[in-house]
Amino acid sequence: MQNEPDLKSAYALETPDDSRKLYAAWAKTYDEGFVQQSGYILHEHVVRQFTIMGGFGPVLDIGAGTGLCGEALRARGIEPVDGTDISAEMLAIACEKNIYRNLFTGDVVKGLEVNEDTYQGAVSAGTFTMGHVGPNGIDTILHAVRPNGWIVFSVNAKHYQTAGFSTKMTDLVTSISDFSTVEVPIYAPDATQAHAKDTALILAFRKS
Ligand SMILES: C[S@@+](CC[C@H](N)C(=O)[O-])C[C@H]1O[C@@H](n2cnc3c(N)ncnc32)[C@H](O)[C@@H]1O
């Protein structure tokens, strides 16, 4: 793995251990070096959609990272918000912002130490993407959320096509309702970096 974390190294991850190492190295510079410089706005789209759907707390932010979704939720008056991530170093940055009620490490692919039906809603931005989390992570989210609760998360558009999300959503037809998708830009219109025009699908649905 190269020393300077960037999108190229993030998309090339293969294992949860790769993620832990990359994000441990990226945590301190993620907000200023990546979010601000790249024009990353995906968390705003996810939280906006959660709000439009009428989602409310308590909310679990999955792959919370440095806390961007939590910040956007709290700015809209949605709380309490808990956050989980595979990287303790990313969560340490989120913790400094005093946004979250609880923060805990965990691997969404393996399953989280969360009782069934704990949360009224769940959000996730930027975590269901290449080299990170595939469609099986959705089962963990469904476990954590109460019946009728809203689940809203982004999936990188290329990842959606190649990682089997479409099949997964078809398989979930009896477990969810009110399923919708909308395609959004991951970066602001004036972004110029190599991935500036990449898009994501925002998946929104309720647990049945
Ligand atoms: C691109 S960052 C997004 C962080 C934040 N949600 C945002 O929008 O800025 C992806 C996050 O997913 C986390 N992640 C990667 N694989 C994971 C897994 N298997 N379980 C939980 N979190 C994971 C990483 O540690 C990282 O914080």
Side-chain angles (χ1 to χ4, degrees):
M1 192 181 299
Q2 60 192 78
N3 289 328
E4 290 292 323
D6 59 10
L7 271 182
K8 195 174 170 202
S9 45
Y11 287 160
L13 297 174
E14 289 180 3
T15 68
D17 264 350
D18 288 348
S19 284
R20 278 189 204 95
K21 282 182 199 143
L22 180 103
Y23 284 99
W26 209 353
K28 284 194 177 139
T29 59
Y30 182 88
D31 284 356
E32 284 175 11
F34 169 65
V35 177
Q36 284 181 26
Q37 283 186 22
S38 72
Y40 177 81
I41 52 168
L42 192 49
H43 53 293
E44 288 292 344
H45 285 296
V46 168
V47 169
R48 191 167 150 267
Q49 197 66 22
F50 185 78
T51 311
I52 288 169
M53 295 304 179
F56 57 96
V59 181
L60 181 60
D61 178 8
I62 289 157
T66 59
L68 301 183
C69 281
E71 218 162 4
L73 286 164
R74 292 287 302 271
R76 288 165 173 83
I78 297 174
E79 55 185 312
V81 188
D82 290 351
T84 184
D85 199 285
I86 203 166
S87 167
E89 290 81 359
M90 291 291 273
L91 291 183
I93 304 292
C95 186
E96 287 169 6
K97 298 177 182 173
N98 287 322
I99 298 162
Y100 292 89
R101 180 181 62 176
N102 295 315
L103 290 166
F104 56 96
T105 53
D107 180 346
V108 67
V109 177
K110 281 193 186 151
L112 301 172
E113 285 187 33
V114 172
N115 291 334
E116 195 172 6
D117 302 347
T118 297
Y119 292 96
Q120 186 57 42
V123 296
S124 182
T127 298
F128 288 79
T129 191
M130 281 84 76
H132 290 54
V133 177
N136 289 344
I138 299 171
D139 295 328
T140 304
I141 309 183
L142 279 168
H143 172 84
V145 172
R146 298 172 189 156
N148 289 323
W150 278 103
I151 294 167
V152 178
F153 64 102
S154 69
V155 183
N156 178 289
K158 276 187 204 140
H159 192 50
Y160 190 94
Q161 298 297 338
T162 56
F165 280 89
S166 179
T167 308
K168 179 69 178 176
M169 296 319 295
T170 305
D171 291 347
L172 287 178
V173 71
T174 56
S175 311
I176 64 171
S177 65
D178 302 284
F179 176 46
S180 69
T181 62
V182 59
E183 189 165 7
V184 299
I186 299 176
Y187 302 97
D190 58 352
T192 54
Q193 36 86 6
H195 289 275
K197 300 300 168 205
D198 285 5
T199 62
L201 298 179
I202 306 289
L203 275 57
F205 52 84
R206 300 179 100 153
K207 176 171 168 175
S208 293

